[in-house]
Amino acid sequence: MRRSQRFGAPARGRRLFAYALIGAACAAGGCSSGGHAAAPRTRAVRGDVEEGTCQIVPAAGGGGGNGAGEAGAGGVVAGAEAASAATNGAPDYLSAIGCTADYTALASLPTDATIPGARSVKFVIDTRDLSSGADAKHRSLYFQNSVKYPFHVNFCCTHIKGVSCDESQFLDTYYSANRRFIAGAITHYEKLDLWALEMAPYDTATPDMIQNVFDTITTANAFFRPGLAFHPTSDAWASRAEYLDLGIPIVTTEEIYAGTDYQPLTRATASGVVRYYNQADIQAGVDIPYNSIVVLDEVPNDISVVAGVVSEQFQSPLSHVNVLCTNRGTPNMGLRDARAKLLAYKDKWVELSVGIDGYDIHEIDAATGEAAFLAHQPAQVTLPELNLSVTEIADAETLIADYPSIPDVGKRGAIQEAVRAYGGKAANFSVMAQAGGIPVPKAFAIPVYWYDKFMRDNGFYDTLDALLQNPDFTSSTDSSVRRQSLQDLRDAMMTGVIDDQLQNALREKLEAEFVGNDGRPLVMRFRTSTNSEDLDAFPCAGCYESHTGDPSDWPDVLKAIRSAYSSAWLFRTFEERSYYRVDHKSVGMALLVHHRFDGEVANGVAITSNPYDSSGADSARYVNVEFGGAAEVVHLPSGVTTDQFLYFANGSTSYISRSNLVAKDQHVLSDAQIAELGSALDAVHQLFASAYKDPGSSWYAMDSEFKFIACDALGNPTDTPTLWIKQARPYPSPFAAVPAASSSGP
């Protein structure tokens, strides 16, 4: 859900027990505002909102407001706030908002776009106003200029006596049981014409404090007050909201989300030709021209290189399609009824901009579009040079020698060196295998040397050379030859000879170390680990395919290895590399090997930062998780929804969507499992920061895959499901290509 107001992230390691205290107090009747235990009555509903008298007098000839008061140069501010003017021409704050123009003058676009189409004005209630002396008991209300002051601490320390600008001190005061300030936001969801009072998901305020807010914000100082409802922004808030007086209307995230028709995923601008496809077309492998802005009915698991994506079905930030668009810097958005809304642009050149609060699409001429499309092509990617001198099958934790002791300045280089021999997936896994607090399965890696030898011994490089010199194969206008030729190459690789030395070493490793408690060989997962995936500059998520082999049937193991190797030449993967002008012959594949996960109770992916928060101030982790293992989060069947939520440093959760594979009143993960996952994600985030965090950017995150399954590190069954982290790779900033401005589409 969208959280409009910020206090800055709670200090790391802060664990608040206020929720438990509130629950106990509520159970004892301490949370009642006088209405919860009263005679049965229904909860109030929102009323009609009418414009009042504007507090900010518009300038002569200017728009906004109701025209009350005298016009002056640049506008005149009524009341005590007249002396304070922000850089955007609005006052620093108002004590009353009389009309929509007042609200608009103070409102900001959210830094967080979980639910777009909204503006927010942050408010502060000072319960111990010191302006008239230390003994003053009255409350003061401030509607702050949320453009100039995006955080409450900045506003309070500037305008309220006795407030420190030190964020930690402010937060300590804010979270105290006897807090001085009640701070939140008034959010207007414009398409729903809904006014919502919102508090931070991790806020520990009591129901009595929310009652205080509704008592302080009245029709006398807020024209929107008759239509104001409380919006619980987390599960903890939803529980406490039950104890609010029934005179306070409540609106749920589900209600708000149901009325939302636009979802910005990758914010960027691109030119292309609007073309309509069904998911069935994508799955059938239909050729899609590079310059297409595709309009889809549902979200496919993968899509070839295109100029932009619009889907009628809303997406997850960690869907393969969105990860690909984020990597490419191409616009991606969800739009309900997109086919009807964009019909006027079908088969025409357009420029599409996806912004935080809306999208813009307009027709352009073909010459302009083609020039813009070519200009958007990314810089050429040069892959790390392969190290073919390493032949040893090595345990995962040994791929990078003693990573924790490497100085921070050398950690990135150490990972890059391991990538040359063992690929990106195995190199990052090695880092996790040496760290505490990150549960990973026992694993080993087969170096890229053996892939290179497989390709040379069987003459597949010669085949590739011939293809790359064939104009029909390299033609960008007709990919049918390329598609069939790559299929022929993969078919040939499935009969290629695998070196006996590799087979003997692998068989010895599996027989010695990967036998279950029942004495049977463990079924193994052979996972692709190339020098062209899981890199900070070229993640290439989903480009390659891992496969399973059973050592009790040795040909099955060889089939798994060949299948993984051949996925280097999948059509979609080849096209992705071509888009970045990667030298295809520079690609090499190592294999990361561990037991196959069976019987998982949950599978998921997570981002160790909040992909909806462009400010970088939010400590939330984004989690997308599904029940069981049949419906993989990264390859969801049509019609299946997942639990998506934000997990905050104090342990609170804010759900964006719910799984339809569990009961409506349940979640995929228990509170204990969420806490276990949150702790591991914190460890992953900190572990890789020295290697991947750009000092010049506010954004840094790792993308992690995980499972909950009742097994040990070798895959032997246990009694209790526990967490296992499968993978970690850098996640590109979803805000890197945000357009400077955006406007609503038709």
Side-chain angles (χ1 to χ4, degrees), residues 647-672:
Y647 178 73
F648 294 90
N650 73 329
S652 61
T653 54
S654 178
Y655 278 82
I656 301 166
S657 70
R658 311 279 181 150
S659 168
N660 58 5
L661 299 186
V662 298
K664 289 184 178 181
D665 59 345
Q666 295 181 359
H667 298 310
V668 173
L669 300 181
S670 67
D671 290 345

PDB file of all heavy atoms in Angstrom, residues 647-672:
ATOM      1  N   TYR A 647       7.986  -5.079   4.654  1.00  0.00           N
ATOM      2  CA  TYR A 647       8.343  -5.455   6.024  1.00  0.00           C
ATOM      3  C   TYR A 647       9.268  -4.393   6.592  1.00  0.00           C
ATOM      4  O   TYR A 647      10.311  -4.094   6.010  1.00  0.00           O
ATOM      5  CB  TYR A 647       9.028  -6.818   6.038  1.00  0.00           C
ATOM      6  CG  TYR A 647       9.468  -7.278   7.401  1.00  0.00           C
ATOM      7  CD1 TYR A 647       8.538  -7.715   8.338  1.00  0.00           C
ATOM      8  CD2 TYR A 647      10.816  -7.283   7.756  1.00  0.00           C
ATOM      9  CE1 TYR A 647       8.937  -8.144   9.592  1.00  0.00           C
ATOM     10  CE2 TYR A 647      11.228  -7.710   9.004  1.00  0.00           C
ATOM     11  CZ  TYR A 647      10.284  -8.143   9.923  1.00  0.00           C
ATOM     12  OH  TYR A 647      10.686  -8.557  11.178  1.00  0.00           O
ATOM     13  N   PHE A 648       8.875  -3.811   7.715  1.00  0.00           N
ATOM     14  CA  PHE A 648       9.602  -2.670   8.270  1.00  0.00           C
ATOM     15  C   PHE A 648      10.531  -3.083   9.408  1.00  0.00           C
ATOM     16  O   PHE A 648      10.407  -4.172   9.967  1.00  0.00           O
ATOM     17  CB  PHE A 648       8.613  -1.604   8.745  1.00  0.00           C
ATOM     18  CG  PHE A 648       7.833  -0.997   7.619  1.00  0.00           C
ATOM     19  CD1 PHE A 648       6.630  -1.552   7.214  1.00  0.00           C
ATOM     20  CD2 PHE A 648       8.315   0.101   6.925  1.00  0.00           C
ATOM     21  CE1 PHE A 648       5.920  -1.025   6.155  1.00  0.00           C
ATOM     22  CE2 PHE A 648       7.620   0.637   5.865  1.00  0.00           C
ATOM     23  CZ  PHE A 648       6.417   0.078   5.472  1.00  0.00           C
ATOM     24  N   ALA A 649      11.437  -2.180   9.748  1.00  0.00           N
ATOM     25  CA  ALA A 649      12.480  -2.491  10.713  1.00  0.00           C
ATOM     26  C   ALA A 649      11.933  -2.851  12.084  1.00  0.00           C
ATOM     27  O   ALA A 649      12.584  -3.562  12.845  1.00  0.00           O
ATOM     28  CB  ALA A 649      13.454  -1.311  10.838  1.00  0.00           C
ATOM     29  N   ASN A 650      10.750  -2.363  12.411  1.00  0.00           N
ATOM     30  CA  ASN A 650      10.189  -2.678  13.728  1.00  0.00           C
ATOM     31  C   ASN A 650       9.322  -3.927  13.701  1.00  0.00           C
ATOM     32  O   ASN A 650       8.680  -4.269  14.682  1.00  0.00           O
ATOM     33  CB  ASN A 650       9.370  -1.498  14.257  1.00  0.00           C
ATOM     34  CG  ASN A 650       8.048  -1.332  13.523  1.00  0.00           C
ATOM     35  OD1 ASN A 650       7.963  -1.653  12.344  1.00  0.00           O
ATOM     36  ND2 ASN A 650       7.034  -0.846  14.197  1.00  0.00           N
ATOM     37  N   GLY A 651       9.280  -4.629  12.556  1.00  0.00           N
ATOM     38  CA  GLY A 651       8.543  -5.877  12.479  1.00  0.00           C
ATOM     39  C   GLY A 651       7.140  -5.762  11.940  1.00  0.00           C
ATOM     40  O   GLY A 651       6.452  -6.777  11.801  1.00  0.00           O
ATOM     41  N   SER A 652       6.671  -4.569  11.610  1.00  0.00           N
ATOM     42  CA  SER A 652       5.320  -4.428  11.077  1.00  0.00           C
ATOM     43  C   SER A 652       5.314  -4.729   9.581  1.00  0.00           C
ATOM     44  O   SER A 652       6.334  -4.615   8.902  1.00  0.00           O
ATOM     45  CB  SER A 652       4.773  -3.023  11.346  1.00  0.00           C
ATOM     46  OG  SER A 652       5.585  -2.044  10.725  1.00  0.00           O
ATOM     47  N   THR A 653       4.156  -5.141   9.088  1.00  0.00           N
ATOM     48  CA  THR A 653       3.999  -5.485   7.690  1.00  0.00           C
ATOM     49  C   THR A 653       2.888  -4.670   7.070  1.00  0.00           C
ATOM     50  O   THR A 653       1.891  -4.353   7.714  1.00  0.00           O
ATOM     51  CB  THR A 653       3.682  -6.982   7.510  1.00  0.00           C
ATOM     52  OG1 THR A 653       2.543  -7.307   8.307  1.00  0.00           O
ATOM     53  CG2 THR A 653       4.853  -7.852   7.914  1.00  0.00           C
ATOM     54  N   SER A 654       3.058  -4.346   5.793  1.00  0.00           N
ATOM     55  CA  SER A 654       2.073  -3.583   5.048  1.00  0.00           C
ATOM     56  C   SER A 654       1.784  -4.349   3.753  1.00  0.00           C
ATOM     57  O   SER A 654       2.622  -4.400   2.850  1.00  0.00           O
ATOM     58  CB  SER A 654       2.613  -2.187   4.742  1.00  0.00           C
ATOM     59  OG  SER A 654       1.704  -1.435   3.987  1.00  0.00           O
ATOM     60  N   TYR A 655       0.617  -4.988   3.677  1.00  0.00           N
ATOM     61  CA  TYR A 655       0.301  -5.861   2.543  1.00  0.00           C
ATOM     62  C   TYR A 655      -0.193  -5.055   1.349  1.00  0.00           C
ATOM     63  O   TYR A 655      -1.024  -4.160   1.484  1.00  0.00           O
ATOM     64  CB  TYR A 655      -0.730  -6.909   2.940  1.00  0.00           C
ATOM     65  CG  TYR A 655      -0.109  -8.095   3.641  1.00  0.00           C
ATOM     66  CD1 TYR A 655       0.173  -8.038   4.999  1.00  0.00           C
ATOM     67  CD2 TYR A 655       0.236  -9.236   2.931  1.00  0.00           C
ATOM     68  CE1 TYR A 655       0.777  -9.110   5.647  1.00  0.00           C
ATOM     69  CE2 TYR A 655       0.833 -10.311   3.568  1.00  0.00           C
ATOM     70  CZ  TYR A 655       1.110 -10.248   4.922  1.00  0.00           C
ATOM     71  OH  TYR A 655       1.717 -11.304   5.549  1.00  0.00           O
ATOM     72  N   ILE A 656       0.311  -5.431   0.176  1.00  0.00           N
ATOM     73  CA  ILE A 656      -0.084  -4.828  -1.086  1.00  0.00           C
ATOM     74  C   ILE A 656      -1.103  -5.716  -1.794  1.00  0.00           C
ATOM     75  O   ILE A 656      -2.058  -5.233  -2.388  1.00  0.00           O
ATOM     76  CB  ILE A 656       1.152  -4.606  -1.979  1.00  0.00           C
ATOM     77  CG1 ILE A 656       2.157  -3.696  -1.279  1.00  0.00           C
ATOM     78  CG2 ILE A 656       0.758  -4.017  -3.335  1.00  0.00           C
ATOM     79  CD1 ILE A 656       3.526  -3.692  -1.919  1.00  0.00           C
ATOM     80  N   SER A 657      -0.881  -7.021  -1.751  1.00  0.00           N
ATOM     81  CA  SER A 657      -1.825  -7.966  -2.344  1.00  0.00           C
ATOM     82  C   SER A 657      -1.807  -9.251  -1.535  1.00  0.00           C
ATOM     83  O   SER A 657      -0.908  -9.480  -0.713  1.00  0.00           O
ATOM     84  CB  SER A 657      -1.476  -8.252  -3.813  1.00  0.00           C
ATOM     85  OG  SER A 657      -0.286  -9.012  -3.909  1.00  0.00           O
ATOM     86  N   ARG A 658      -2.804 -10.101  -1.773  1.00  0.00           N
ATOM     87  CA  ARG A 658      -2.960 -11.334  -1.003  1.00  0.00           C
ATOM     88  C   ARG A 658      -2.969 -12.538  -1.939  1.00  0.00           C
ATOM     89  O   ARG A 658      -3.470 -12.476  -3.058  1.00  0.00           O
ATOM     90  CB  ARG A 658      -4.280 -11.306  -0.222  1.00  0.00           C
ATOM     91  CG  ARG A 658      -4.511 -10.033   0.571  1.00  0.00           C
ATOM     92  CD  ARG A 658      -3.783 -10.016   1.888  1.00  0.00           C
ATOM     93  NE  ARG A 658      -4.037  -8.799   2.647  1.00  0.00           N
ATOM     94  CZ  ARG A 658      -4.024  -8.731   3.965  1.00  0.00           C
ATOM     95  NH1 ARG A 658      -3.783  -9.805   4.675  1.00  0.00           N
ATOM     96  NH2 ARG A 658      -4.238  -7.583   4.574  1.00  0.00           N
ATOM     97  N   SER A 659      -2.458 -13.653  -1.439  1.00  0.00           N
ATOM     98  CA  SER A 659      -2.483 -14.901  -2.184  1.00  0.00           C
ATOM     99  C   SER A 659      -3.906 -15.455  -2.238  1.00  0.00           C
ATOM    100  O   SER A 659      -4.641 -15.410  -1.249  1.00  0.00           O
ATOM    101  CB  SER A 659      -1.562 -15.929  -1.512  1.00  0.00           C
ATOM    102  OG  SER A 659      -1.768 -17.222  -2.050  1.00  0.00           O
ATOM    103  N   ASN A 660      -4.274 -15.971  -3.397  1.00  0.00           N
ATOM    104  CA  ASN A 660      -5.569 -16.641  -3.504  1.00  0.00           C
ATOM    105  C   ASN A 660      -5.430 -18.155  -3.380  1.00  0.00           C
ATOM    106  O   ASN A 660      -6.366 -18.897  -3.681  1.00  0.00           O
ATOM    107  CB  ASN A 660      -6.286 -16.265  -4.805  1.00  0.00           C
ATOM    108  CG  ASN A 660      -5.480 -16.608  -6.050  1.00  0.00           C
ATOM    109  OD1 ASN A 660      -4.407 -17.212  -5.975  1.00  0.00           O
ATOM    110  ND2 ASN A 660      -5.996 -16.226  -7.213  1.00  0.00           N
ATOM    111  N   LEU A 661      -4.257 -18.607  -2.910  1.00  0.00           N
ATOM    112  CA  LEU A 661      -4.058 -20.033  -2.650  1.00  0.00           C
ATOM    113  C   LEU A 661      -4.189 -20.371  -1.171  1.00  0.00           C
ATOM    114  O   LEU A 661      -4.039 -21.536  -0.785  1.00  0.00           O
ATOM    115  CB  LEU A 661      -2.675 -20.485  -3.162  1.00  0.00           C
ATOM    116  CG  LEU A 661      -2.427 -20.329  -4.667  1.00  0.00           C
ATOM    117  CD1 LEU A 661      -1.090 -20.938  -5.040  1.00  0.00           C
ATOM    118  CD2 LEU A 661      -3.548 -20.976  -5.482  1.00  0.00           C
ATOM    119  N   VAL A 662      -4.418 -19.369  -0.340  1.00  0.00           N
ATOM    120  CA  VAL A 662      -4.661 -19.592   1.082  1.00  0.00           C
ATOM    121  C   VAL A 662      -5.993 -18.964   1.447  1.00  0.00           C
ATOM    122  O   VAL A 662      -6.560 -18.178   0.689  1.00  0.00           O
ATOM    123  CB  VAL A 662      -3.529 -19.000   1.957  1.00  0.00           C
ATOM    124  CG1 VAL A 662      -2.199 -19.672   1.646  1.00  0.00           C
ATOM    125  CG2 VAL A 662      -3.410 -17.492   1.746  1.00  0.00           C
ATOM    126  N   ALA A 663      -6.501 -19.305   2.621  1.00  0.00           N
ATOM    127  CA  ALA A 663      -7.782 -18.767   3.066  1.00  0.00           C
ATOM    128  C   ALA A 663      -7.715 -17.252   3.171  1.00  0.00           C
ATOM    129  O   ALA A 663      -6.646 -16.669   3.416  1.00  0.00           O
ATOM    130  CB  ALA A 663      -8.167 -19.368   4.416  1.00  0.00           C
ATOM    131  N   LYS A 664      -8.853 -16.588   2.992  1.00  0.00           N
ATOM    132  CA  LYS A 664      -8.898 -15.130   2.955  1.00  0.00           C
ATOM    133  C   LYS A 664      -8.395 -14.487   4.239  1.00  0.00           C
ATOM    134  O   LYS A 664      -7.879 -13.374   4.217  1.00  0.00           O
ATOM    135  CB  LYS A 664     -10.323 -14.655   2.657  1.00  0.00           C
ATOM    136  CG  LYS A 664     -10.779 -14.924   1.226  1.00  0.00           C
ATOM    137  CD  LYS A 664     -12.150 -14.340   0.960  1.00  0.00           C
ATOM    138  CE  LYS A 664     -12.573 -14.565  -0.482  1.00  0.00           C
ATOM    139  NZ  LYS A 664     -13.916 -13.984  -0.765  1.00  0.00           N
ATOM    140  N   ASP A 665      -8.560 -15.182   5.356  1.00  0.00           N
ATOM    141  CA  ASP A 665      -8.144 -14.602   6.635  1.00  0.00           C
ATOM    142  C   ASP A 665      -6.741 -15.052   7.034  1.00  0.00           C
ATOM    143  O   ASP A 665      -6.332 -14.892   8.180  1.00  0.00           O
ATOM    144  CB  ASP A 665      -9.142 -14.966   7.733  1.00  0.00           C
ATOM    145  CG  ASP A 665      -9.277 -16.475   7.924  1.00  0.00           C
ATOM    146  OD1 ASP A 665      -8.829 -17.224   7.030  1.00  0.00           O
ATOM    147  OD2 ASP A 665      -9.827 -16.907   8.953  1.00  0.00           O
ATOM    148  N   GLN A 666      -5.982 -15.622   6.090  1.00  0.00           N
ATOM    149  CA  GLN A 666      -4.647 -16.112   6.395  1.00  0.00           C
ATOM    150  C   GLN A 666      -3.616 -15.481   5.468  1.00  0.00           C
ATOM    151  O   GLN A 666      -3.948 -14.938   4.412  1.00  0.00           O
ATOM    152  CB  GLN A 666      -4.590 -17.642   6.256  1.00  0.00           C
ATOM    153  CG  GLN A 666      -5.457 -18.384   7.265  1.00  0.00           C
ATOM    154  CD  GLN A 666      -5.348 -19.888   7.098  1.00  0.00           C
ATOM    155  OE1 GLN A 666      -4.647 -20.387   6.216  1.00  0.00           O
ATOM    156  NE2 GLN A 666      -6.047 -20.628   7.946  1.00  0.00           N
ATOM    157  N   HIS A 667      -2.352 -15.587   5.883  1.00  0.00           N
ATOM    158  CA  HIS A 667      -1.225 -15.184   5.055  1.00  0.00           C
ATOM    159  C   HIS A 667      -0.382 -16.411   4.726  1.00  0.00           C
ATOM    160  O   HIS A 667      -0.468 -17.448   5.391  1.00  0.00           O
ATOM    161  CB  HIS A 667      -0.359 -14.145   5.770  1.00  0.00           C
ATOM    162  CG  HIS A 667      -1.076 -12.876   6.082  1.00  0.00           C
ATOM    163  ND1 HIS A 667      -1.800 -12.173   5.149  1.00  0.00           N
ATOM    164  CD2 HIS A 667      -1.175 -12.163   7.241  1.00  0.00           C
ATOM    165  CE1 HIS A 667      -2.317 -11.090   5.707  1.00  0.00           C
ATOM    166  NE2 HIS A 667      -1.957 -11.069   6.972  1.00  0.00           N
ATOM    167  N   VAL A 668       0.462 -16.292   3.723  1.00  0.00           N
ATOM    168  CA  VAL A 668       1.334 -17.402   3.344  1.00  0.00           C
ATOM    169  C   VAL A 668       2.344 -17.688   4.443  1.00  0.00           C
ATOM    170  O   VAL A 668       2.599 -18.846   4.792  1.00  0.00           O
ATOM    171  CB  VAL A 668       2.053 -17.090   2.016  1.00  0.00           C
ATOM    172  CG1 VAL A 668       3.092 -18.165   1.710  1.00  0.00           C
ATOM    173  CG2 VAL A 668       1.052 -16.986   0.869  1.00  0.00           C
ATOM    174  N   LEU A 669       2.935 -16.645   5.015  1.00  0.00           N
ATOM    175  CA  LEU A 669       3.947 -16.799   6.053  1.00  0.00           C
ATOM    176  C   LEU A 669       3.389 -16.399   7.412  1.00  0.00           C
ATOM    177  O   LEU A 669       2.598 -15.457   7.519  1.00  0.00           O
ATOM    178  CB  LEU A 669       5.180 -15.944   5.746  1.00  0.00           C
ATOM    179  CG  LEU A 669       5.927 -16.232   4.444  1.00  0.00           C
ATOM    180  CD1 LEU A 669       7.130 -15.296   4.319  1.00  0.00           C
ATOM    181  CD2 LEU A 669       6.376 -17.688   4.364  1.00  0.00           C
ATOM    182  N   SER A 670       3.828 -17.092   8.444  1.00  0.00           N
ATOM    183  CA  SER A 670       3.470 -16.716   9.811  1.00  0.00           C
ATOM    184  C   SER A 670       4.303 -15.517  10.240  1.00  0.00           C
ATOM    185  O   SER A 670       5.304 -15.164   9.599  1.00  0.00           O
ATOM    186  CB  SER A 670       3.726 -17.882  10.766  1.00  0.00           C
ATOM    187  OG  SER A 670       5.120 -18.142  10.869  1.00  0.00           O
ATOM    188  N   ASP A 671       3.930 -14.902  11.341  1.00  0.00           N
ATOM    189  CA  ASP A 671       4.704 -13.775  11.865  1.00  0.00           C
ATOM    190  C   ASP A 671       6.144 -14.198  12.165  1.00  0.00           C
ATOM    191  O   ASP A 671       7.091 -13.444  11.906  1.00  0.00           O
ATOM    192  CB  ASP A 671       4.050 -13.221  13.132  1.00  0.00           C
ATOM    193  CG  ASP A 671       2.736 -12.506  12.847  1.00  0.00           C
ATOM    194  OD1 ASP A 671       2.472 -12.189  11.665  1.00  0.00           O
ATOM    195  OD2 ASP A 671       1.974 -12.261  13.800  1.00  0.00           O
ATOM    196  N   ALA A 672       6.301 -15.399  12.710  1.00  0.00           N
ATOM    197  CA  ALA A 672       7.647 -15.878  13.039  1.00  0.00           C
ATOM    198  C   ALA A 672       8.476 -16.085  11.775  1.00  0.00           C
ATOM    199  O   ALA A 672       9.678 -15.762  11.740  1.00  0.00           O
ATOM    200  CB  ALA A 672       7.557 -17.183  13.831  1.00  0.00           C
TER     201      ALA A 672
END
